[in-house]
Structures are given as C-alpha cells and as structure tokens.
Amino acid sequence: MALLNRRSPEHYDHTGDQPCVICTKPIPLRSDSGKPVHKVCAEDWIDCHPPKEDNA
C-alpha cells in the first residue's frame, strides 16, 4: 500500500478548497504536481495503477 507524506506546508493551498480530481469532494491539499487530491484518494489510485515496467 502506498503511503504519502503530506505534512509539508507546500501541500496546503491557502487560497481555498477545490474539488478532488478523484472523488470531487472539496480539499485544500495539493499533490506534488499541484492538483487537488485527498491523501487517501491518491494512495488508493497509486495502489490500483502500479507503474509499468519498461522492457525496451
């Protein structure tokens, strides 16, 4: 199970809540890429979408 660390202050957006990109419920937290997403939503998505290995 993926566990993300969201304790860093740059994950909190003081401008207000936006809909989570996964469940659409409001959230003030942002992903590393700046997208609004709940920690548990992101962790569940990561678990369901493991990285693909490059066999090239």
Side-chain angles (χ1 to χ4, degrees):
M1 170 177 227
L3 295 175
L4 300 173
N5 182 348
R6 293 283 178 92
R7 293 180 187 210
S8 178
E10 56 265 2
H11 287 289
Y12 187 81
D13 186 348
H14 294 279
T15 63
D17 291 356
Q18 290 186 6
C20 173
V21 296
I22 296 173
C23 74
T24 70
K25 292 180 183 172
I27 182 73
L29 295 176
R30 303 296 181 257
S31 69
D32 289 343
S33 63
K35 304 242 187 245
V37 64
H38 294 99
K39 180 180 182 288
V40 294
C41 290
E43 290 169 344
D44 185 52
W45 189 90
I46 291 168
D47 286 342
C48 292
H49 300 86
K52 295 178 181 171
E53 293 187 26
D54 185 14
N55 294 330

